Amino acid sequence: MRYEYFAFDPSMLHRLLDLQSLKQLFRTLVTMTAGNVQQALAILERLREQGLVPPSTDLDALREQLQQDEEIGTQPDGTLTLTPKGERALRRTALEQVFGKLRKRGAGDHPVPREGHSGERASHTRPWRFGDELSDIDFMQSYRNALRRNARTAHGDGTSLPSPDQLPLREDDLEVHETEHLASCATVLLLDISHSMILYGEDRITPAKQVALALIELITTRYPKDTIDVVLFGDEAQRITLDEVPYVQVGPFHTNTKAALQAARRILRHRKHSNKQVILITDGKPTVIVDDEGALYRNTFGLDPKIVSKTLDEAIALRKERIPITTFMIASDPYLQRFVHRLTELNRGKAYFAEPGQLGQFVLVDFVRNRRGKAR
């Protein structure tokens, strides 16, 4: 084997690291601007003018590199846009930022803490029992057991061992591969896009979108047996495709949490997974429902008993179908927390109260814990 040595240029490494950091900043800005590439590059330019990005930063080189990597493309009118490869890059970056400490678990299955049939083979074996599948028999270990037994017999009576093709196998020689139950999970992520998610100058929608992107990347790449659906909710609930998440924007909407929970229940009713769950990311109380006549009934002052009651009915309906709700509340108002506590109590789910910057860490802990459900 031949080795080729060359002089190491430290500045080259710095340039590579700077470019990578710049790409991550660009991807965060693209998420913040709902997929607007040109606006994200314009923000980078303003940051450079303000000295928040080094003045020597070559943004033209960054744009050329992004085009060369096919993360951004050019429309016929010259507009720069995200490509499908660029959308995947957003998800990967979100996964690294939100779930950076997650330990990879191999092929993406979810073992549960008991062993038996209908799963993947474990590394260890056990004695055969009546009813075990013949396909699970470990013939190598069974043959070794028979060989040891016959060796003891031959040693005791002075006879010779039988030839391998005549070695008798008895029931107590047989060993089978132990199997592990595997649980799959269907997740519906409910994302609040009401106006309060950007109210008072606080950007709550960007970290919420980053969590959504990270969960999508996590599930589609590491848990391929799982599914994830995303539902946006404001005045009403709307299911979107996973590719649409980077382009999500907050609108002049109220908060129809009831419609969101209804949509999740409809989606999960058609999923055949052994485990199902709802992840609710919101920063406000429910303020609107659709009444029995199909008209919007809204009340933005306090907690309206009619709206709260109808919303809690959906939490109970999900509980009856054994679907827990994990709520991540990006707000600290005591009366809002009381509502979330009540919703969680009735659904028997979980609730976390987090600052936007801490949201991903809480989701990580809960998502991994919820993978350890019982296989049915």
Side-chain angles (χ1 to χ4, degrees):
M1 183 179 295
R2 298 178 60 187
Y3 296 91
E4 183 176 349
Y5 296 89
F6 58 91
F8 174 68
D9 182 3
S11 64
M12 179 178 67
L13 178 60
H14 289 306
R15 287 196 298 273
L16 288 173
L17 293 175
D18 289 344
L19 179 61
Q20 192 62 30
S21 299
L22 204 57
K23 279 185 176 181
Q24 290 189 353
L25 177 57
F26 165 78
R27 291 166 188 157
T28 299
L29 292 174
V30 168
T31 304
M32 185 182 300
T33 59
N36 191 321
V37 171
Q38 299 201 154
Q39 188 178 354
L41 290 172
I43 293 173
L44 272 175
E45 179 63 42
R46 290 201 297 272
L47 292 175
R48 184 174 66 174
E49 292 172 357
Q50 295 170 6
L52 300 175
V53 170
S56 59
T57 302
D58 190 342
L59 296 182
D60 291 333
L62 171 66
R63 184 175 61 252
E64 291 173 5
Q65 186 64 51
L66 290 169
Q67 289 177 310
Q68 183 179 331
D69 294 342
E70 299 181 348
E71 288 192 29
I72 63 174
T74 307
Q75 299 280 29
D77 62 358
T79 304
L80 295 174
T81 59
L82 273 178
T83 64
K85 189 174 180 179
E87 293 168 357
R88 290 194 299 272
L90 291 188
R91 295 197 296 268
R92 286 195 302 271
T93 297
L95 181 64
E96 292 168 2
Q97 292 175 343
V98 176
F99 295 159
K101 296 181 180 179
L102 181 65
R103 180 173 63 88
K104 191 172 181 179
R105 293 186 57 91
D109 293 315
H110 310 306
V112 297
R114 61 191 177 98
E115 295 177 323
H117 303 294
S118 305
E120 297 290 337
R121 284 185 173 182
S123 59
H124 54 282
T125 61
R126 60 168 173 79
W128 180 87
R129 294 192 294 263
F130 179 78
D132 286 333
E133 296 288 341
L134 294 178
S135 59
D136 289 334
I137 294 176
D138 183 345
F139 285 99
M140 289 297 294
Q141 185 59 44
S142 300
Y143 177 79
R144 292 190 191 98
N145 292 341
L147 189 62
R148 282 195 292 267
R149 177 177 53 78
N150 280 275
R152 289 193 298 269
T153 302
H155 179 74
D157 58 18
T159 60
S160 60
L161 283 170
S163 61
D165 58 337
Q166 296 178 341
L167 185 66
L169 277 173
R170 297 195 322 205
E171 180 179 324
D172 55 355
D173 294 326
L174 298 178
E175 297 241 354
V176 294
H177 289 284
E178 186 63 280
T179 55
E180 298 175 343
H181 278 284
L182 300 173
S184 60
C185 186
T187 299
V188 176
L189 176 66
L190 305 178
L191 186 57
D192 187 349
I193 56 168
S194 63
H195 181 61
S196 60
M197 292 290 279
I198 55 169
L199 204 57
Y200 310 120
E202 184 174 5
D203 179 10
R204 297 169 176 173
I205 189 62
T206 297
K209 282 169 57 178
Q210 287 177 321
V211 168
L213 290 167
L215 278 172
I216 292 168
E217 184 70 7
L218 175 71
I219 290 173
T220 56
T221 60
R222 302 189 186 183
Y223 299 104
K225 295 181 183 293
D226 287 11
T227 61
I228 181 169
D229 295 276
V230 178
V231 173
L232 310 180
F233 66 101
D235 289 342
E236 56 186 21
Q238 177 189 7
R239 183 179 179 183
I240 64 171
T241 65
L242 303 184
D243 293 337
E244 293 178 274
V245 173
Y247 308 98
V248 167
Q249 299 183 67
V250 168
F253 308 125
H254 300 284
T255 309
N256 193 339
T257 310
K258 175 183 183 293
L261 296 174
Q262 275 183 321
R265 191 154 58 94
R266 284 195 300 269
I267 293 170
L268 292 173
R269 189 173 292 152
H270 298 288
R271 297 297 188 192
K272 304 303 181 184
H273 296 67
S274 54
N275 297 301
K276 300 175 183 181
Q277 68 169 344
V278 173
I279 294 179
L280 170 64
I281 301 178
T282 182
D283 74 330
K285 64 183 183 295
T287 56
V288 63
I289 57 171
V290 177
D291 62 23
D292 296 335
E293 286 72 37
L296 282 180
Y297 171 82
R298 54 173 77 90
N299 184 353
T300 59
F301 299 99
L303 288 171
D304 186 289
K306 180 178 179 180
I307 295 174
V308 169
S309 175
K310 294 293 185 181
T311 304
L312 294 179
D313 285 346
E314 284 301 318
I316 295 171
L318 283 164
R319 185 197 71 200
K320 290 179 179 178
E321 297 183 24
R322 298 182 179 180
I323 301 172
I325 303 170
T326 301
T327 305
F328 295 90
M329 190 73 168
I330 320 172
S332 57
D333 308 64
Y335 77 100
L336 296 181
Q337 291 189 7
R338 284 196 297 272
F339 163 74
V340 172
H341 278 301
R342 183 60 178 158
L343 181 144
T344 304
E345 178 184 19
L346 292 174
N347 175 257
R348 297 176 186 168
K350 296 176 184 153
Y352 299 97
F353 302 90
E355 295 296 325
Q358 299 174 328
L359 184 60
Q361 299 171 22
F362 286 121
V363 174
L364 164 63
V365 171
D366 192 69
F367 184 84
V368 174
R369 284 178 181 169
N370 282 352
R371 303 285 56 73
R372 301 179 183 275
K374 290 185 178 179
R376 299 176 195 165

